[in-house]
Amino acid sequence: MDIAVLAQRVAQFALAHPDERDCWMKATAISGILAWGDPAAMEAVDGWLRRAIATQRSNGNLNYADAVRAIGAGHVRSFTPTAALPASLGYPLLRRYQQNGDAVYLEAARRQIDALRKSPRTSDGGICARAEASELWIDFTHLMCPFMALYGQIAKDPDAIDEAFRQYRVHIDHLVDPKKHLARHAWCEAPDHYPQSTFWSRGNGWLACASVDLVSIAPNHPDAGHVAETCAQLLEAVAHYQDASGYFCHVLDDPASNLEASGTLMFAYAVTRGIELGIVSKSLAPAASRAFLAVARAVEPSGKVPGVAVPPGGPGVPFDWTLFGQGFFLLAAHHMKGELTEVLS
């Protein structure tokens, strides 16, 4: 099957399953749809973005920013968002603004940036992931840093760009193992511990994708070299754990954990994008192709990408499909389409 045909199915499945009150998982799906540029699909996600703006709260947080209670699996039982979570929608909002020039989109992004700047922080300035505790989660490097950098570029706000790189660095300092070059999931400041300390596949994927997106937005920033080096070391370390199937396990160094689709797609996207940017070794390209093809050949006829560990991720969560899983398939497919014309041959 042609990769573009499969990508269209994946996009249509995402569009057929909108989530009105979700303030973050659909962000990557929107980015993936915008990357492919199908006019009808872009019109549909415009509807999603307009709803995110219409439901932007007085505090600036996009798309309801609902708290979640009674979480049944994973390392937390409740999650009250800071501005870091809905900031994820700011990135595709700005990408669409670059295409349509709608000032309403830019103003909504400005309000979300203001909310980020007022968010609770750790003692060393890291923006906390949730209101319940002074915690940093590795996911949030991707959920907020590219948005801040892109906003700074568009709005000519250098402080926003600097803040993106500061947040990246403080998360690295607390969550990346300096010997293994892999990221842990979550760190809590007081008491100082890791509520979820495994080398979670998707967590490392979030960091890798944040890295390539940051470098692509601000390649000349003084800290871009640090981001590029972190990315290269991370992807080399992750590649070591690739399963013979092409997938990565849900917990990278636990071969008894399930093979997981979203982290596998993130690896494929980040490697391919990193090679394009000249910050990742071309020797990883075959591993990226194996990763993408492993997931592509599992896509259901409906376009659903199965085998995704649901939030909050980490050990013990069930597997299903998610909007960000659909989105990372679209992003990886878009950047790999020149090399992998046929995916089911």
Side-chain angles (χ1 to χ4, degrees), residues 219-239:
N220 297 318
H221 190 274
D223 271 359
H226 169 255
V227 174
E229 181 181 10
T230 300
C231 183
Q233 291 176 335
L234 172 75
L235 289 170
E236 290 280 359
V238 170

Side-chain angles (χ1 to χ4, degrees), residues 22-33:
D22 160 55
C23 70
W24 71 279
M25 287 191 282
K26 62 190 169 208
T28 308
I30 297 171
S31 293
I33 288 167

